[in-house]
Amino acid sequence: MSRPTGRPATGATTPATALRAPAPGWATEADVVVVGSGVAGLTVALRCAAAGAKVTVVTKARLDDGSTRWAQGGIAAALGEGDTPGQHLDDTLVAGAGLCDERAVRTLVTEGPGAVRRLIATGARFDADEDTGEILLTREGGHHRSRIAHAGGDATGAEISRALVAAVRAAGIDTVENALVLDLLKDGSGRAAGVTLHVMGEGRRDGVGAVRADAVVLATGGMGQIFSATTNPAVSTGDGVALALRAGAEVSDLEFVQFHPTVLWLGPEAQGQQPLVSEAVRGEGAHLVDADGVRFMRGRHELAELAPRDIVAKAIMRRMRERGAEHMYLDARHFGAPMWERRFPTILAACRAHGIDPVTEPIPVAPAAHYASGGVRTDLRGRTTVPGLYACGEAACTGVHGANRLASNSLLEGLVFAERIAEDITGGPRPAGAASPAPGPAPARPAAGRPGAGPGGPPLLASEARYQIQHIMTHGAGVLRSAESLARAADRLDQVQDEAVAELRRDGKTAEPGVGTWEATNLHLVARVLVAAALRREETRGCHWREDRPERDDAAWRRHLLVTLRPDGALDVRSTDSEAFPPPTTTPRPETESRP
């Protein structure tokens, strides 16, 4: 491997906005540190290790405990007869509601089929025809072709995770499990030089430590836990996006949070991770109906139940309001028991565990937070605006998803851009800093939100603040938003922070450092960014639905919102000057349409 820079300086420092935490009590070194163990993170790790790099993978729980294993439907790629990358591109652009970066989408769809085949070579086993051995493909919302490869019926993510974890262990890659990443380390030039992290009393390392590395890759997944009900696991607290913000990186499009239309409804007081009822169930012919059995998606979109997710979620919410109902129903009784048991065994078991038998009764469903289309802004090689810091998977904003992710593009995005990051890290030397210049000048407009506690870093929030934040975000920035609801959410988030600042000034102390307080503080930061961007975007587009601004406005808002965190804790929000999604970096290396 040829490293992009020399070893990080021994005097590496953390940003002024870093989380309050004990000084690292131990340290280790690597060429590359990958934070996260989903499809994106483990793919980067495997490709870098294969090129001779010393890789350390840091993951918040166990290696197989991230968001990837919860993915049910599958992975989208133009693998079937008659399908083409061009058709996949068209469907993705339509779903993205005018905000996709076409170059990023073209990269995804042209390199996607090869990336899936390399995943199969790594050991992933997809469902295939017993006679021909051809991969079985299905349809999901927004796709005009059957191009979704699946495994175990509805356990695609679990199979991908199994294969990648097995490959990582077989390769002998160093892993640090049960470790919450805290902040980025930088060298004297401002380049990423590793991370600080806290190991939760497991394994060879305990407490706060540091991994020093030439390249840092954030693959930390989503931030669904900022809402009361989500399909995301408990570990999805926006840690990577919060770390990147504190490190000075740009975040883009965080207002576009996709609410999955069909999540098993467990009652009005249900909180935390909720069971997902995959889009593939509708792809196989299930119908959305109200309590009277009326198929309300007919006439609302040419694809009916298979319309893009934002359209289906909005239709469900509208029907709920019209009927005064807390949920709608997904009716797949016509599948019969054999098909349920063969094609959707995971969903069948989850429903029955909650007292619902989809073989004999419709499934109660309602939208819940599912996927963040925005994240840490990157170029086509995963580079952020901080030199040496990369991002991929749900934590990143590559420009692929635009205002609304097309179903099953997320696993593919993780694969394709993870491979590109690995190539960039291991592909040859570059002058220090050449890949990622500093962000442009700050916008000439007032900063959004209130300042924090100053250069010493913001005070930590108590663990219980997590539930305050979830309540605030669910009622103020959920599926239905307005200027009034968002302003109220912004004020209440400010109050949560102000109370912590007041306690610090009054008593000279803050909440004790620990996993709960660090997670709550991360959730608060990403919630502030989401609300600030959602307030600024005065239109309805994709999965951002403003009730007070119900129309899409291409003349004013076919642009992206970029957010950075100032050293004093305030937010700077600015919009791009053009319709395109410009990369944060420039490079002499040419971009190719596809790779062997």
Side-chain angles (χ1 to χ4, degrees):
M1 170 190 172
S2 180
R3 299 178 183 142
T5 66
R7 303 300 306 162
T10 57
T13 59
T14 53
T17 50
L19 290 172
R20 294 173 185 264
W26 56 268
T28 186
E29 291 196 352
D31 296 319
V32 184
V33 57
V34 177
V35 186
S37 60
V39 61
L42 295 188
T43 299
V44 172
L46 285 167
R47 299 294 182 266
C48 287
K54 181 182 178 183
V55 180
T56 294
V57 174
V58 174
T59 187
K60 197 172 179 180
R62 298 186 305 274
L63 273 183
D64 61 352
D65 235 4
S67 295
T68 290
R69 76 181 182 97
W70 297 100
Q72 295 173 344
I75 185 168
L79 298 166
E81 183 177 355
D83 197 6
T84 66
Q87 294 176 64
H88 190 183
L89 180 143
D90 289 342
D91 286 345
T92 301
L93 294 179
V94 169
L99 284 189
C100 295
D101 173 10
E102 186 169 337
R103 296 171 311 150
V105 178
R106 194 173 299 280
T107 295
L108 178 83
V109 299
T110 56
E111 298 184 9
V116 173
R117 294 185 184 100
R118 287 186 287 277
L119 178 63
I120 293 171
T122 302
R125 298 187 293 265
F126 290 96
D127 296 338
D129 185 277
E130 293 181 357
D131 297 324
T132 66
E134 294 291 322
I135 294 175
L136 295 174
L137 302 172
T138 190
R139 278 183 69 194
E140 290 186 2
H143 293 271
H144 284 78
R145 288 275 188 174
S146 294
R147 64 169 66 96
I148 316 299
H150 48 83
D154 58 356
T156 310
E159 169 57 19
I160 291 173
S161 180
R162 180 206 63 78
L164 291 174
V165 168
V168 164
R169 287 176 173 155
I173 293 172
D174 183 38
T175 60
V176 184
E177 296 182 300
N178 301 294
L180 170 63
V181 68
L182 300 177
D183 279 297
L184 188 72
L185 292 170
K186 291 184 178 182
D187 64 15
S189 70
R191 185 182 178 86
V195 293
T196 56
L197 64 156
H198 174 78
V199 183
M200 297 172 239
E202 300 284 346
R204 293 170 292 144
R205 310 175 181 98
D206 294 333
V208 175
V211 179
R212 300 181 183 277
D214 294 329
V216 176
V217 182
L218 298 177
T220 51
M223 57 183 191
Q225 290 291 324
I226 60 172
F227 295 97
S228 298
T230 177
T231 63
N232 290 189
V235 295
S236 297
T237 52
D239 306 319
V241 173
L243 175 150
L245 281 162
R246 290 193 297 269
E250 285 183 349
V251 167
S252 183
D253 295 357
L254 223 60
E255 67 271 32
F256 297 117
V257 174
Q258 188 176 78
F259 285 75
H260 198 288
T262 53
V263 176
L264 183 62
W265 188 79
L266 300 180
E269 303 303 319
Q271 287 190 318
Q273 186 177 11
Q274 313 289 302
L276 175 67
V277 182
S278 170
E279 192 130 356
V281 178
R282 281 177 281 138
E284 295 288 356
H287 305 143
L288 280 166
V289 298
D290 61 20
D292 295 329
V294 176
R295 286 183 63 186
F296 56 88
M297 284 304 301
R298 282 180 167 172
R300 291 182 181 264
H301 191 274
E302 60 168 332
L303 296 177
E305 282 90 354
L306 288 179
R309 287 180 178 174
D310 63 308
I311 293 171
V312 179
K314 292 170 188 174
I316 291 174
M317 294 299 296
R318 287 192 181 105
R319 195 67 164 186
M320 287 165 56
R321 287 195 300 181
E322 291 169 3
R323 303 299 301 270
E326 294 180 303
H327 60 81
M328 290 288 109
Y329 293 92
L330 188 64
D331 192 351
R333 290 174 291 179
H334 54 286
F335 285 4
M339 180 174 174
W340 267 110
E341 292 165 359
R342 172 184 58 82
R343 182 68 177 85
F344 301 112
T346 306
I347 298 170
L348 178 64
C351 289
R352 286 176 169 170
H354 291 282
I356 299 156
D357 188 351
V359 176
T360 60
E361 60 186 316
I363 305 167
V365 294
H370 183 56
Y371 190 89
S373 292
V376 187
R377 185 177 177 231
T378 73
D379 66 4
L380 296 186
R381 296 189 180 273
R383 296 174 294 210
T384 74
T385 51
V386 174
L389 179 64
Y390 297 78
C392 57
E394 191 173 354
C397 184
T398 62
V400 160
H401 304 308
N404 182 53
R405 175 180 66 101
L406 181 65
S408 288
N409 267 357
S410 51
L411 292 175
L412 190 70
E413 182 197 33
L415 271 181
V416 168
F417 287 90
E419 290 187 340
R420 288 184 143 246
I421 287 173
E423 287 181 353
D424 197 70
I425 292 173
T426 63
R430 295 185 307 278
S436 303
R445 59 171 65 248
R450 303 183 186 178
L460 294 174
L461 301 182
S463 300
E464 295 76 20
R466 177 183 187 129
Y467 305 105
Q468 289 180 269
I469 295 164
Q470 291 172 339
H471 181 82
I472 291 167
M473 295 299 289
T474 297
H475 292 278
V479 180
L480 307 180
R481 304 168 178 174
S482 66
E484 180 181 358
S485 74
L486 290 165
R488 185 168 58 248
D491 286 343
R492 294 187 64 191
L493 289 171
D494 283 343
Q495 290 171 15
V496 170
Q497 180 171 295
D498 288 348
E499 289 169 5
V501 171
E503 182 179 359
L504 176 63
R505 290 172 177 166
R506 182 181 63 249
D507 303 329
K509 63 181 182 180
T510 182
E512 288 297 317
V515 174
T517 56
W518 288 321
E519 286 185 332
T521 303
N522 284 340
L523 284 170
H524 185 263
L525 177 54
V526 295
R528 287 176 58 212
V529 174
L530 190 159
V531 169
L535 264 171
R536 183 68 60 84
R537 183 173 289 279
E538 296 178 334
E539 65 160 355
T540 288
R541 182 186 296 271
C543 51
H544 171 65
W545 187 8
R546 286 278 299 261
E547 291 184 281
D548 56 329
R549 301 279 185 167
E551 302 301 323
R552 173 170 150 177
D553 185 355
D554 281 347
W557 285 109
R558 194 173 178 185
R559 55 184 61 223
H560 301 266
L561 292 173
L562 311 178
V563 183
T564 52
L565 181 68
R566 292 197 329 211
D568 67 355
L571 302 177
D572 278 327
V573 185
R574 64 186 178 91
S575 63
T576 55
D577 294 328
S578 64
E579 296 178 357
F581 187 75
T585 64
T586 56
T587 174
R589 188 178 299 176
E591 298 295 347
T592 56
E593 288 293 313
S594 61
R595 246 187 19 256

